[in-house]
Amino acid sequence: MPTLNDLARSHTSLGEADVEHLHSLVSDWQLLADLSFADLVLWAPAKDGTGWLAIAQMRPTTGPTSLQDDVVGTFAGPEDQRLLDVARDERRIWRESDPDWTNGVPVRIEGIPVTRANRVIAVIERCTNLNSARTPSRLELTYLQGADDLARMVAEGTFPFPGADAMLVRSPRVGDGLLRLGKSGRVIYASPNAQSAYRRLGLAADLIGSELGVVTAGLVASDEPLDESLMVVAAGRVPREAEVDGNGSVVQLRSIPLIVGGSRTGALVLVRDVTELRRRERELMTKDATIREIHHRVKNNLQTVAALLRLQARRLRAPEARAALDEAVRRVGSIAVVHETLSHAPEEVVDFDEIADRVAMMAGEVSAAEVRVIPKITGSFGQLSAAVATPLAMVLTELLQNALQHGFPHAREQGLLEVVAVREPERLTVTVADSGVGLPDGFDLESATSLGLQIVRTLVVGELGGRLRIMPRPGGGTEAVVDLPVGYEPER
Ligand SMILES: Nc1ncnc2c1ncn2[C@@H]1O[C@H](COP(=O)(O)OP(=O)(O)O)[C@@H](O)[C@H]1O
Ligand SMILES: [Mg+2]
C-alpha cells in the first residue's frame, strides 16, 4: 500500500510544505472522523490536471464505516470529481443534496477544502452513513457541532495547529471522554466518561457550568500555587496536552481551541483516565529493577562460591588438586562477571567488550606470577544477549587459560596472546591466538577428553550452535577460532 508521501511525490505537484501540512492533518484527523461519525478520504489534485487522487483514508471509531474498501491510490470517479472541484473552486464546505446509494446504504457526501497559505491544496471527502443516524442525543449533537467547527478550521487553514507536537504516546480520543467548553472556558457539555474521570480526580461538584481551568488546577494535589500552564491547557486556550495527577488518579487532557471565522467559539477538551496505564508502567519499571537486583545477588553468590573454593584450594597439598580448584574458581568467576554486567544493564543485553576485558584481566592475573604474557583484545564483540554472554565468557576464559598454561609453559616467558573479535549483525567470530609452543603431537580436538576443551565444545557447539576449531597458528603457536550465530545487534 503506497504511503501518503509516495503518492504525493509521484502523482501530485504539491510542494514540500503542503505535503507536510497534509501529514500533520492526517496525524490528527481521527478526531474529525470520530466527531463526525464519518469516513474521511483525502483527495489531492493529480499532476497535469488529470483529476483527483485519494492519498489517505480514515474510518470513525465512534460509528460504522460507509467505505468497506480501501480507496487510497485510486482516482476519483466523475461523481466525486464534481464535488471535489466545487469544494476547491468555491473554497467552502460543500454538501451533496441527495445521499449517495452506490453501496446500498444512504451516504451523505461532503467536501471540505484543506487550506494552507491561502490556497486549497487538497479536499477531504466526508462520508456519513445515514442508516445509523438516529435522532441525535446531547452527546451526538455536541460531537457534530465540534466536527463542524473543526471542519471550518480545516477550510480556513487554522487546523491542524501549526507546530503542535503530540507529546504523549497516545493522545486521548473522542471516545475516551469529551468536554465542550464555551467561549468563556466554562463547561457546556461533559460526556459520561469525562465526568467519571473528573470524579476520580476528586471533583465533588458538577462540571457543567464550571470554569475548567480553575477547577482542574484546584484538583492537583499540591500545596503550591495553582499550576498556571495546566490551567491554560484545561481552559482550552492553547492546543496542547497535559496530565492531571490528583486524588490517586491520573487523567490526560488534550485541548483543542475552536476558532472559527476569526472568533473563539470555545474548545474541545478530550479526557482520558490513564491511572491504570501509569500504574502498569510503574510496575514494569520496578520489574526491571528487580531483575537487575537478582543479577546482582547471583553475582554475589558466585563470588562467595569462588572464595570458598579458593580457601579450600589453599589447604590442599597435591598440586594437581589445587590446580583443579583454581580452575573452578576462574570458571565461576567468569560467570560472575557476566551477572555483574547484567546487574547494570537495563535490558537482558550486555556490552560484551567490557566483559571480555575483565575476563582477559582475570586470566592474566592468575598467571601473572609465572608468565609475562598479557592478553590483548582487538575488534569488537558488540552487544550480546545474556543467553550468549554467559557461555561465551566461560569459553573465553578456558581458551585464554590454555594459551597461558600450555602455550607458555615456562616461567617468565615472553610472547604474544591475542583475542580478535569480528562482529557482523548476526555472527561473531572470536580468535584466540598465541605464539607459544604449539599443540602437542597427535592433538585431536574431537577425541580430547580433558575437561577444559570438553566444556568449550559443549558450550560452543551444543549451547550456542556455533563452530570450534583449534589448529597450529601460522608462524608458530596455536589458534582457536569460535564462530557463533548471535542474532541481531539491537539498536542502542
Ligand atoms: N593454546 C594451546 N597451546 C598448546 N596446547 C594447548 C593449547 N590449548 C590446548 N592445548 C592442549 O590441549 C589439552 C587439553 O586442554 P584442556 O581440555 O583445556 O585441558 P587442560 O587445560 O586441563 O589440560 C591441553 O592439555 C594441551 O595439551
Ligand atoms: Mg584447559
Side-chain angles (χ1 to χ4, degrees), residues 327 331 398 401-402 405-406 452-453:
E327 218 154 351
R331 285 177 186 137
E398 293 303 323
Q401 211 51 55
N402 278 355
Q405 213 171 19
H406 307 302
L453 287 180

Side-chain angles (χ1 to χ4, degrees), residues 64-199:
T65 182
S66 52
L67 288 176
Q68 292 305 329
D69 297 327
D70 264 345
V71 297
V72 173
T74 62
F75 285 86
E79 282 290 300
D80 285 335
Q81 175 128 18
R82 203 173 48 79
L83 169 97
L84 299 167
D85 286 344
V86 173
R88 177 189 53 198
D89 298 342
E90 303 197 0
R91 312 188 69 167
R92 65 190 174 96
I93 299 172
W94 181 261
R95 179 182 289 193
E96 278 308 358
S97 46
D98 294 324
D100 175 281
W101 283 87
T102 319
N103 292 322
V105 288
V107 176
R108 184 175 62 226
I109 312 257
E110 293 159 289
I112 303 165
V114 179
T115 306
R116 192 191 82 80
N118 227 12
R119 282 176 307 118
V120 175
I121 59 172
V123 174
I124 296 175
E125 181 182 26
R126 176 163 61 174
C127 312
T128 313
N129 184 340
L130 293 176
N131 250 4
S132 58
R134 301 157 277 151
T135 316
S137 63
R138 254 324 283 292
L139 178 140
E140 281 158 321
L141 282 174
T142 309
Y143 278 26
L144 291 170
Q145 203 180 44
D148 281 347
D149 286 347
L150 265 190
R152 288 186 57 187
M153 289 170 69
V154 170
E156 290 171 8
T158 49
F159 185 88
F161 301 106
D165 47 354
M167 312 182 319
L168 302 165
V169 180
R170 146 126 138 61
S171 274
R173 302 221 179 108
V174 170
D176 293 323
L178 177 88
L179 296 166
R180 168 77 202 223
L181 309 188
K183 273 195 196 66
S184 61
R186 285 184 193 279
V187 179
I188 51 183
Y189 177 80
S191 77
N193 279 346
Q195 304 242 28
S196 307
Y198 268 83
R199 285 272 168 283

Side-chain angles (χ1 to χ4, degrees), residues 167-170 172 198 201 216 220 227 229-231 233-234 240-246 249-254 272-275 277-279 281-282:
M167 312 182 319
L168 302 165
V169 180
R170 146 126 138 61
Y198 268 83
L201 283 174
T216 306
V220 176
D227 181 340
S229 70
L230 178 59
M231 210 151 96
V233 173
R240 214 181 309 145
E241 295 181 9
E243 219 162 87
V244 190
D245 199 333
S249 293
V250 187
V251 169
Q252 211 181 347
L253 299 184
R254 175 176 178 207
R272 181 181 176 215
D273 185 343
V274 290
T275 313
L277 195 72
R278 294 287 176 264
R279 195 179 58 79
E281 282 171 0
R282 269 199 296 276

